[in-house]
Amino acid sequence: VAYCLDSFNIGGTEINAVRTAESLDPERFDLSVFHLTASGPLRRRYEQLGVSITHIDIPNLYSPRTFRQGFLLTRLLRKMDVDIVHSHDIYCNIFAVPWTRMLTRCSIIASRRLGVGVSPQHLELANRRSYRFAHRVLGNSEAVVDELDNIDRVPPRKTVNIPNFLEEIAFKRVSETERERQRQAWGAFEGCLLVGIVARLSPVKNHALLLHAIASMDARVRLVVVGDGPSRADLETLASELGIASRVLFVGEVTERKNLHQYFDVSVLCSFSEGFHNSIVEAMAAARPVVTTPVGGVIDAVSDGINGIYVSKNYTNELASALKALQSEPELRRK
């Protein structure tokens, strides 16, 4: 089996790829990894598996060098006698899937793990064409598979729904002493409501909505923002402009494998679009109440009023009202 990955950075796609790799029986599967970006925090986990790791260096998807690298990739696949190529992201769908289909006899799995409209339109169109070369297209939720069927026009016989999954460690709790120590390090205090969000800092994750909601709440509410990305500077500026910089902590990427949601009182995901976000099921594994926008695969995991609360992706008041209800009603949080 050969993985094709864009990067080793921390993200939902990358986390599920490495979790799958770690779950494969090495007596049955010989895994190799081809990657477009040389380094990242998750690379170490593949190295610990002892798998072959090969960097395919392309400047962009459309340069002459990329064509040469396509020939290199397929030559290596044939030399290594690969049976199955699994492309995990949009860039590898566009780059690796057509070359592999045309120049090898490998079986090919492409993937869609993002909601429609997240990627630029020209990439969406190229990705849609690449699905024609794949033998199977994996979606990570019922909602994403519906998009593959109805928007991307992938024949249903080619699509398969394999939801994101968790490691056993997601269900393990730290001691109450360690939990309180971490909460205090993040600025929590007795009587405080610690709200957390674990998501890449990019516009589609809609962090600004959460910052505005926090600004409308009292000083007993603290927000922990886990993750990094291109929106970080803008979000830090917004927190200052809203007068809540002292109540919001941007902790960046966290590479440890403990379930961070166990330190929060409430977990939030307020994205404009999603495939199936790991954060939702991680919060559920930690028995945290979830406030979320009902987008993409979120609706496959969260039932409004039962194990979470749905809010609009456009209205601050709805998110603030949900958080205030959870702040004032501990029994609702437990429920």
Side-chain angles (χ1 to χ4, degrees):
V1 178
Y3 271 13
C4 290
L5 302 169
D6 176 30
S7 79
F8 295 116
N9 292 327
I10 294 176
T13 295
E14 295 81 4
I15 287 288
N16 270 271
V18 74
R19 285 175 179 168
T20 303
E22 291 166 340
S23 301
L24 293 177
D25 180 355
E27 297 298 318
R28 299 177 57 210
F29 299 96
D30 180 10
L31 179 65
S32 302
V33 177
F34 294 88
H35 55 99
L36 305 184
T37 305
S39 61
L42 295 180
R43 181 183 177 114
R44 178 61 179 158
R45 288 172 67 171
Y46 287 102
E47 292 173 342
Q48 290 173 337
L49 293 174
V51 302
S52 169
I53 301 176
T54 304
H55 183 208
I56 303 294
D57 184 20
I58 64 172
N60 57 59
L61 288 171
Y62 309 108
S63 77
R65 176 173 171 76
T66 300
F67 280 82
R68 293 195 297 270
Q69 294 298 78
F71 282 107
L72 170 64
L73 170 65
T74 55
R75 187 165 67 248
L76 291 172
L77 292 173
R78 292 194 300 269
K79 181 180 179 180
M80 298 165 70
D81 199 23
V82 169
D83 297 298
I84 299 171
V85 172
H86 186 175
S87 168
H88 285 266
D89 54 78
I90 187 169
Y91 293 101
C92 288
N93 288 346
I94 296 169
F95 167 66
V97 168
W99 285 108
T100 302
R101 183 62 184 266
M102 290 186 294
L103 298 179
T104 78
R105 295 183 178 180
C106 299
S107 297
I108 305 165
I109 304 170
S111 303
R112 175 181 272 285
R113 295 185 170 275
L114 300 173
V116 171
V118 176
S119 302
Q121 186 175 18
H122 69 284
L123 293 181
E124 289 276 6
L125 292 173
N127 189 37
R128 201 163 291 155
R129 294 188 184 99
S130 76
Y131 292 147
R132 300 174 186 174
F133 294 91
H135 296 94
R136 292 290 185 272
V137 184
L138 185 158
N140 62 348
S141 71
E142 290 182 16
V144 169
V145 170
D146 286 344
E147 291 174 353
L148 286 169
D149 293 342
N150 300 319
I151 298 176
D152 295 322
R153 300 298 182 187
V154 179
R157 61 180 171 78
K158 290 179 63 170
T159 60
V160 59
N161 174 20
I162 303 180
N164 294 356
F165 64 94
L166 301 177
E167 301 169 274
E168 289 185 18
I169 196 172
F171 297 89
K172 295 181 179 178
R173 309 291 170 79
V174 299
S175 68
E176 190 59 31
T177 299
E178 183 178 344
R179 181 174 184 271
E180 284 305 312
R181 185 184 303 119
Q182 182 61 71
R183 285 169 57 85
Q184 290 172 14
W186 283 344
F189 51 88
E190 187 175 355
C192 163
L193 183 79
L194 190 63
V195 178
I197 181 169
V198 182
R200 177 170 165 76
L201 304 190
S202 62
V204 72
K205 301 302 182 184
N206 199 17
H207 287 80
L209 182 77
L210 179 54
L211 291 179
H212 281 282
I214 295 296
S216 71
M217 302 182 71
D218 65 54
R220 293 174 298 158
V221 179
R222 294 288 188 270
L223 173 64
V224 176
V225 180
V226 180
D228 213 336
S231 298
R232 178 164 182 165
D234 290 341
L235 292 170
E236 290 177 334
T237 298
L238 178 59
S240 295
E241 292 174 347
L242 293 171
I244 57 172
S246 63
R247 294 200 280 137
V248 179
L249 181 63
F250 291 86
V251 300
E253 288 183 343
V254 178
T255 57
E256 67 176 272
R257 292 161 77 171
K258 294 176 186 174
N259 190 336
L260 299 178
H261 295 266
Q262 66 186 301
Y263 301 114
F264 308 147
D265 296 308
V266 179
S267 295
V268 175
L269 184 71
C270 48
S271 304
F272 287 115
S273 178
E274 281 294 345
F276 189 116
H277 203 286
N278 292 321
S279 180
I280 290 294
V281 285
E282 287 168 353
M284 291 163 63
R288 297 299 93 190
V290 175
V291 179
T292 182
T293 49
V295 293
V298 169
I299 62 177
D300 298 333
V302 177
S303 298
D304 189 27
I306 297 176
N307 62 344
I309 299 174
Y310 285 167
V311 296
S312 169
K313 56 191 174 183
N314 296 314
Y315 296 103
T316 300
N317 289 344
E318 285 190 30
L319 178 52
S321 295
L323 291 174
K324 288 174 182 177
L326 290 167
Q327 180 185 19
S328 61
E329 300 179 50
E331 182 56 36
L332 179 60
R333 295 205 298 271
R334 283 191 292 271
K335 175 187 173 183

